[in-house]
């Protein structure tokens, strides 16, 4: 009998964790990717002697990236994961206390958008030698709670590693969730600081290379056959492409489906770019920020095929968009939770696999020529409206926000990637942007998180080296999180940033006006002696701020300046900012208004006429809301 012990390696828990992470890989369609490509970190007493020391010893195996704000580090990791089609991710390590709680917003964003990120916050002592320790939140009713428990509801998987040997099952579960296309999101392993530094004899096989194969589940045969049957019977079908198209790399399968059937394709914010804008079947964004073409088709559709969408309120216009009494839904989704929404026929499957099977099942079927002519005419009319919004008759005038987008649209190619998340820009981009490639349009709208753009652009640029990456930010968003400019400078990541200065929260200002709140509290203005706001904007120079953080800054005072500045920024090999003040700072933008409703409740009783009038309009719109049962 062989009684010798299997080979082992004596390492601290943190050292073992880093060594393990460096040897994890994903594989899909025969292509291999490193799962944890790098680790972001800001060090404090909860991780400096544990994970920090481990990263120092493993510098050749695990790249380290220094951030300035913990939330921003998660945004950078999320940007990288989305650009990597969820096949590669980053880890983020923080101290205990505020470092850990700063992760919550980023974790929520990752989980809502189904994007993988591994969070490694430090935690209080497991052995309780000092209680409370610095930054510890004492909870009188429970001794095993720390601030890290705030991460439970925004994580797809959460564990607290209170013993070294507990790391093995915890980290294996963490990898499983990160690589599961139906469950992925933020994964949190809370690491007590004493456990991080404790040594243990780890089995050598723990450090062997491990491949996590990302499956492409096929649809149930009966569900697939039913979907094909209802598709053949439909006279006015519409396909809605969600983010699942991109995650699955299903763009070519969608193109083949559209080419074969002639079914028009609208897109959610996450799904935009699933077809290039000039494809005959692409009818643009759908919902509150959608195009007139897509929204008009949605109102009369008798069948809606949702592929990889979770049917948010913006997409459905708060359940007022799909108005045909006979409308039915087919939902292709990797998760049964989303596939069963809208009382639709659920096709639980990988988007690419399901589309390929549907295309084969529909061989020879095509919608009527009159229908394709109808939406083709509407698409051409909308493109004329886009061109009108983009055009700038006076090149020496200050541009509108839409004209800024038009200047960028005239410059970019399919190589460029545009990153945005919040404010009035997502609405303008969804309606107007002409996506030329599958991954050009990167707008985070699941959480619509101000402050996402700059760090996410860094993560995107790291995943797509050599490609021009643009972070489009309004002044409100910029003021939320400009600090990662320093990271871009330090890491030599040549992101391009466009700051659109309109002196306030323009998007919410427009919404405030529409709901009778008269733009209250949405402008950046001086206060007079009587505490009222004056008309003068604040003397804040965001361009100088960006320059002080190490970025090259080009100021554009006119459309002509802007065109030249954007071209210079695109050619730059250092982080570069184009700063422009937009016209009509108290309005949102110049493109067509919203083509569908969005439910923001208005005060039912009010004394101000603006609110009374807004409530009347709200009641009129809400009357069109329906439940699809």
């Amino acid at each position: 009998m062989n009684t010798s012990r299997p080979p082992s390696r004596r390492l601290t828990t943190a050292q073992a964790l880093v060594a393990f992470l460096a040897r994890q890989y994903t594989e899909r369609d025969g292509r291999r990717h490193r799962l944890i490509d790098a680790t972001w970190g800001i060090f404090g007493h909860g991780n400096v002697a544990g994970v920090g020391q481990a990263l120092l010893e493993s510098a050749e195996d695990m790249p380290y990236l220094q951030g300035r704000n913990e939330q921003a580090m998660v945004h950078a990791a999320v940007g990288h994961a989305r650009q990597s089609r969820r096949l590669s991710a980053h880890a983020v390590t923080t101290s205990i206390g505020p470092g850990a709680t700063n992760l919550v917003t980023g974790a929520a964003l990752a989980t809502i958008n189904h994007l993988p990120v591994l969070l490694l916050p430090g935690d209080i002592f497991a052995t309780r030698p000092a209680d409370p320790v610095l930054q510890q939140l004492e909870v009188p009713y429970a001794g095993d709670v720390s601030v890290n428990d705030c991460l439970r509801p925004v994580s797809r998987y959460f564990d607290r590693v209170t013993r070294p040997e507990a790391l093995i099952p915890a980290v294996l579960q963490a990898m499983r969730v990160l690589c599961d296309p139906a469950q992925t999101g933020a994964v949190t392993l809370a690491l007590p600081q004493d456990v991080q530094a404790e040594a243990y004899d780890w089995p050598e096989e723990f450090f062997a290379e491990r491949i996590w194969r990302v499956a492409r589940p096929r649809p149930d045969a009966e569900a697939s056959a039913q979907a094909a049957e209802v598709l053949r019977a439909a006279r006015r079908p519409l396909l809605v492409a969600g983010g699942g198209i991109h995650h699955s790399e299903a763009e070519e399968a969608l193109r083949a489906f559209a080419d074969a059937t002639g079914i028009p394709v609208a897109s959610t914010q996450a799904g935009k770019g699933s077809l290039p804008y000039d494809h005959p079947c692409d009818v643009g964004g759908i919902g509150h920020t959608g195009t007139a073409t897509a929204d008009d088709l949605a109102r009369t559709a008798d069948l809606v095929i949702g592929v990889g969408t979770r049917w948010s309120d913006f997409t459905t216009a708060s359940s007022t968009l799909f108005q045909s009494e006979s409308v039915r839904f087919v939902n292709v989704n990797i998760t049964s939770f989303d596939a069963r929404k809208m009382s639709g026929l659920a096709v639980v499957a990988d988007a690419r696999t399901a589309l390929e099977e549907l295309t084969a099942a529909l061989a020879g079927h095509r919608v009527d020529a009159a229908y394709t002519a109808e939406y083709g005419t509407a698409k051409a009319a909308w493109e004329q409206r886009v061109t009108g919004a983009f055009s700038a008759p006076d090149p020496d005038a200050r541009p509108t926000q839409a004209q800024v987008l038009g200047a960028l649209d005239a410059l970019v190619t399919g190589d460029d990637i545009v990153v945005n998340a919040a404010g009035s820009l997502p609405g303008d981009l969804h309606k107007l942007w002409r996506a030329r490639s599958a991954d050009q349009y990167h707008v985070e709208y699941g959480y619509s998180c101000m402050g996402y753009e700059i760090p996410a652009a860094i993560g995107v640029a790291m995943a797509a080296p050599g490609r021009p990456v643009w972070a489009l930010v309004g002044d409100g968003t910029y003021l939320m999180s400009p600090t990662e400019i320093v990271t871009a400078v330090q890491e030599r990541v040549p992101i391009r940033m466009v700051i659109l200065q309109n002196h306030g929260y323009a998007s919410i200002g427009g919404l405030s006006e529409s709901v009778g709140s008269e733009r209250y509290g949405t402008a950046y203005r001086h206060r007079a002696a009587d505490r009222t706001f004056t008309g003068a904007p604040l003397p804040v120079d965001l361009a100088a701020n960006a320059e002080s953080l190490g970025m090259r800054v080009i100021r554009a005072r006119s459309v002509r300046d802007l065109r030249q500045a954007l071209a210079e920024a695109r050619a730059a090999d250092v982080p570069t900012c184009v700063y422009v003040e937009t016209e009509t700072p108290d309005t949102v933008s110049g493109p067509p208004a919203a083509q569908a409703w969005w439910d923001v409740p208005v005060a039912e009783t009010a004394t101000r006429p603006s609110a009374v009038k807004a409530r009347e309009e709200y009641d009129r719109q809400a009357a069109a809301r329906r439940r699809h049962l």
Side-chain angles (χ1 to χ4, degrees), residues 174-199:
M175 298 303 103
R176 174 188 64 80
V177 174
L178 287 173
C179 299
D180 187 334
Q183 294 190 38
T184 195
V187 169
T188 300
L189 296 181
L191 304 172
Q193 56 182 310
D194 51 346
V195 176
Q196 290 182 48
E198 187 175 346

Side-chain angles (χ1 to χ4, degrees), residues 77-397:
V78 167
H80 180 278
R82 174 167 165 173
Q83 184 63 31
S84 302
R85 306 295 185 112
R86 306 195 301 187
L87 298 172
S88 183
H90 283 167
V92 178
T93 179
T94 72
S95 179
I96 68 175
T101 52
N102 279 350
L103 296 174
V104 173
T105 296
L109 182 148
T111 295
I112 287 171
N113 288 283
H114 302 289
L115 292 166
V117 60
L118 177 62
L119 307 180
L120 305 172
D123 211 329
I124 58 176
F125 285 86
T127 53
R128 317 283 176 87
D131 194 20
V133 67
L134 176 65
Q135 298 180 324
Q136 178 177 343
L137 172 70
E138 293 184 274
V139 180
Y141 62 82
D144 62 346
V145 171
S146 80
V147 295
N148 284 332
D149 289 274
C150 294
L151 288 158
R152 288 182 183 271
V154 292
S155 297
R156 290 291 183 186
Y157 179 79
F158 179 99
D159 202 351
R160 179 175 281 112
V161 182
T162 56
R163 290 290 306 147
E165 57 267 37
L167 176 69
I168 296 175
V171 77
L172 289 172
Q173 289 296 330
M175 298 303 103
R176 174 188 64 80
V177 174
L178 287 173
C179 299
D180 187 334
Q183 294 190 38
T184 195
V187 169
T188 300
L189 296 181
L191 304 172
Q193 56 182 310
D194 51 346
V195 176
Q196 290 182 48
E198 187 175 346
Y200 182 74
D201 292 322
W202 303 89
E204 192 63 41
E205 61 261 37
F206 181 57
F207 305 110
E209 286 190 359
R210 191 181 302 264
I211 298 175
W212 300 84
R213 287 186 171 81
V214 180
R216 290 192 179 277
R218 308 194 73 82
D220 172 75
E222 185 174 345
S224 189
Q226 284 184 306
E229 181 181 348
V230 296
L231 269 164
R232 284 185 178 276
R235 293 292 173 264
R236 299 185 63 82
L238 173 67
L239 188 145
V240 176
I245 295 285
H246 295 311
H247 299 329
S248 175
E249 297 179 283
E251 295 90 356
E252 286 304 314
L254 176 61
R255 183 194 288 265
F257 176 89
D259 288 343
T261 65
I263 293 174
V265 176
S267 56
T268 68
Q269 285 279 9
K272 191 173 173 75
S274 295
L275 287 181
Y277 83 96
D278 55 356
H279 189 283
C281 291
D282 181 74
V283 294
I286 192 169
H288 178 63
T289 54
T291 69
T293 310
D295 286 349
D296 287 347
L297 289 172
R299 292 184 180 97
T300 59
D302 58 355
L303 179 68
V304 181
I305 311 107
V307 184
T309 177
R310 62 192 183 96
W311 293 120
S312 74
D313 62 339
F314 258 59
T315 300
T316 68
S318 300
S319 299
T320 64
L321 187 56
F322 305 105
Q323 286 297 316
S324 172
E325 291 185 4
S326 61
V327 66
R328 300 176 65 184
F329 294 84
V330 172
N331 297 323
V332 177
N333 207 289
I334 196 74
T335 72
S336 61
F337 176 77
D338 289 317
R340 299 187 185 281
K341 290 178 178 176
M342 311 291 280
S343 299
L345 170 61
V347 180
V348 181
D350 169 73
R352 192 176 86 178
T353 302
L355 283 170
E356 289 171 345
E357 291 198 6
L358 274 176
T359 303
L362 291 169
H365 174 73
R366 190 171 176 84
V367 297
D368 289 343
Y371 187 45
T372 59
E374 174 191 335
Y375 70 73
T377 300
K379 173 183 169 71
W382 182 262
E383 280 301 312
Q384 290 181 349
R385 296 177 73 178
V386 172
T387 299
F390 280 174
S391 65
D394 183 0
D396 294 316

Side-chain angles (χ1 to χ4, degrees), residues 398-399 401 473-476 479 498-504 524 537-543 578-585:
R398 193 166 65 176
Q401 179 165 285
V473 299
D475 50 340
L479 289 168
V498 181
I499 300 177
L500 295 92
Q501 169 67 280
N502 53 29
H503 302 286
Y524 299 157
L538 295 174
V540 175
D541 191 339
L542 301 184
V578 174
Y579 172 87
V580 58
E581 289 198 54
T582 54
E583 189 56 83
T584 56

Side-chain angles (χ1 to χ4, degrees), residues 10 170 185 228 248 253 266 325 378 419 421 483 491 497 510 526-527 550 577 621:
R10 190 161 182 81
S248 175
E325 291 185 4
V419 181
T483 53
E491 298 294 334
M497 180 172 66
H526 278 290
R527 281 192 186 272
C577 168
Q621 295 282 4

